[in-house]
């Protein structure tokens, strides 16, 4: 199977590597010519066998819309586009309609796994036609974690369902990180507590709050005890806000997710230990940049190593 992959950033580049390691032939296109296998979208389309399958992995919003518009011009009737960025589900409805006018099929796929997906596999939430999903299953199987097909993959529903599921996933993620962060700050505030890192490590085994996020919190605190080199400023990439907006529209109470979103706004007004851990966790699982604390000896701790090419891409395709 030979597919096209547009966007070779923090998510797209390791996805290409994982796909190739699983026997999927991939031609990638990126604004960085060092990474690209094609000089243009037209050249990329020419490399693929008809009907073509093209996966889009670029930042949500105007960048994704621009790529979809360009693909409508270079692809043909019967081709299939999978949009794997963190787009809002309402954009999927518009993009699917735009491509359908040219006879081009469309799936949306929420992707979770961050910079660790290359080794561990990605969680995939897909929306679209069942026949189209079945056609793309070799790609989904290559990307998801090893094991039963139900592990790490779901056909969530019609177009938009995949990104809606990913939006809710990220809203939950906001709440979980905030709870860990507030617990961390409580531990830091007590003089009787002498080994915060040790407590976090102890929680990793046998407790009801053990999780991958907790493992990453342990890693972050080990790399930077006291998180003195990270400013407590946390960005939000959209999905948390969208989750709150959807909760309001559906009249579904979501106090934890809402509070976690507002806590990130608070982080932009004051420097707190809790928000330092949230910032550190985003750096750990997603490779997101962290703001350095001001003052001497405050170089940001080393996160998972990246190639110069990955750094040149910037935030292209970065997950929450």
């Amino acid at each position: 199977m030979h597919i096209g992959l547009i966007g070779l950033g923090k998510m797209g580049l390791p996805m290409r590597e994982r796909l190739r390691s699983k026997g999927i032939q991939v031609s990638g296109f990126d604004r960085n010519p060092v990474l690209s296998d094609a000089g243009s979208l037209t050249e990329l389309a020419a490399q693929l066998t008809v009907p073509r399958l093209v996966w889009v992995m670029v930042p949500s919003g105007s960048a994704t819309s621009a790529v979809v518009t360009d693909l409508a011009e270079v692809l043909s009737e019967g081709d299939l586009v999978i949009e794997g960025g963190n787009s809002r589900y309402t954009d999927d409805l518009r993009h699917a309609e735009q491509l359908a006018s040219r006879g081009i099929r469309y799936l949306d796929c929420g992707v979770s796994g961050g910079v660790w997906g290359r080794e561990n596999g990605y969680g995939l939430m897909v929306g679209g036609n069942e026949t189209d999903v079945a056609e793309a299953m070799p790609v989904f199987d290559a990307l998801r974690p090893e094991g039963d097909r139900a592990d790490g993959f779901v056909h969530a529903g019609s177009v938009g369902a995949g990104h809606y599921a990913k939006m809710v996933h990220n809203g939950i993620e906001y709440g979980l990180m905030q709870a860990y962060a507030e617990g961390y700050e409580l531990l830091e505030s007590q003089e009787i507590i002498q080994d915060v890192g040790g407590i976090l490590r102890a929680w990793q085994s046998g407790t009801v709050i053990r999780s991958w996020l907790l493992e990453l919190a342990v890693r972050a605190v080990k790399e930077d005890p006291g998180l003195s080199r990270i400013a407590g400023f946390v960005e939000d990439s959209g999905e948390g806000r969208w989750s709150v907006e959807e909760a309001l529209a559906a009249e579904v109470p979501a106090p934890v997710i809402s509070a976690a979103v507002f806590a990130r706004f608070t982080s932009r007004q004051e420097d707190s230990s809790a928000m330092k851990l949230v910032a550190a966790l985003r750096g750990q699982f997603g490779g997101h940049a962290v703001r350095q604390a001001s003052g001497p000896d405050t170089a940001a701790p080393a996160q998972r190593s990246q190639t110069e090419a990955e750094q040149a891409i910037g935030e292209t395709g970065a997950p929450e």
Side-chain angles (χ1 to χ4, degrees):
M1 189 173 193
H2 187 183
I3 74 167
L5 178 60
I6 301 172
L8 301 173
K10 292 178 181 177
M11 288 286 279
L13 187 61
M15 286 173 67
R16 181 176 68 173
E17 295 173 355
R18 182 173 177 87
L19 286 166
R20 287 177 173 174
S21 73
K22 299 294 183 178
I24 303 293
Q25 186 178 355
V26 183
S27 292
F29 174 77
D30 193 83
R31 65 187 181 186
N32 184 339
V34 175
L35 300 176
S36 287
D37 302 306
S40 66
L41 290 181
T42 301
E43 184 179 328
L44 178 70
Q47 294 179 7
L48 305 178
T49 303
V50 176
R52 306 173 184 88
L53 191 158
V54 178
W55 189 300
V56 179
M57 205 69 191
V58 301
S60 62
S62 59
T64 295
S65 294
V67 170
V68 169
T69 297
D70 290 344
L71 286 175
E73 299 298 323
V74 301
L75 297 182
S76 305
E77 183 175 353
D79 291 344
L80 174 62
V81 171
I82 302 176
E83 206 282 271
N86 278 336
S87 293
R88 192 162 188 171
Y89 77 99
T90 50
D91 289 343
D92 292 314
L93 305 178
R94 177 168 50 84
H95 293 152
E97 183 178 357
Q98 179 182 359
L99 292 175
S101 67
R102 301 294 185 93
I104 301 168
R105 299 169 293 156
Y106 182 92
L107 297 174
D108 62 285
C109 183
V111 181
S112 182
V115 296
W116 300 89
R118 167 64 180 86
E119 292 80 17
N120 301 334
Y122 301 89
L124 306 174
M125 298 144 270
V126 181
N129 180 274
E130 184 175 357
T131 301
D132 297 336
V133 173
E135 181 177 323
M137 275 311 304
V139 178
F140 297 139
D141 281 340
L143 289 172
R144 66 175 182 81
E146 303 290 344
D148 186 86
R149 178 169 289 182
D151 294 340
F153 173 85
V154 62
H155 179 196
S158 58
V159 168
H163 281 144
Y164 195 95
K166 181 59 162 52
M167 175 193 71
V168 175
H169 166 282
N170 282 18
I172 294 170
E173 178 187 297
Y174 274 47
L176 290 172
M177 286 198 291
Q178 187 63 30
Y180 283 127
E182 291 173 9
Y184 169 79
E185 186 165 17
L186 274 172
L187 293 172
E188 283 279 351
S189 71
Q190 288 295 330
E191 292 184 2
I192 61 172
I193 299 296
Q194 299 176 355
D195 188 358
V196 174
I199 293 171
L200 298 181
R201 287 192 300 275
W203 288 350
Q204 287 182 268
S205 301
T207 76
V208 296
I209 63 168
R210 63 188 184 275
S211 73
W212 184 47
L213 279 176
L214 181 58
E215 292 175 16
L216 295 177
V218 170
R219 180 187 178 96
V221 172
K222 181 179 180 180
E223 291 176 350
D224 181 18
L227 303 178
S228 60
R229 294 175 287 179
I230 297 177
F233 182 104
V234 183
E235 299 283 2
D236 67 287
S237 55
E239 295 90 341
R241 297 191 192 202
W242 300 340
S243 295
V244 174
E245 291 172 6
E246 289 297 320
L248 289 169
E251 298 183 358
V252 172
V256 173
I257 295 174
S258 300
V261 173
F262 285 118
R264 293 196 178 192
F265 298 161
T266 301
S267 79
R268 300 164 199 180
Q269 299 171 343
E270 58 183 284
D271 202 26
S272 74
S273 296
M275 300 319 296
K276 285 185 177 184
L277 186 60
V278 174
L281 283 171
R282 294 180 82 242
Q284 288 287 337
F285 72 74
H288 295 279
V290 297
R291 289 197 178 190
Q292 296 184 19
S294 58
D297 301 323
T298 56
Q303 305 294 346
R304 187 172 184 268
S305 62
Q306 293 179 306
T307 65
E308 292 183 359
E310 284 178 304
Q311 294 169 353
I313 289 293
E315 290 294 321
T316 306
E320 164 52 27

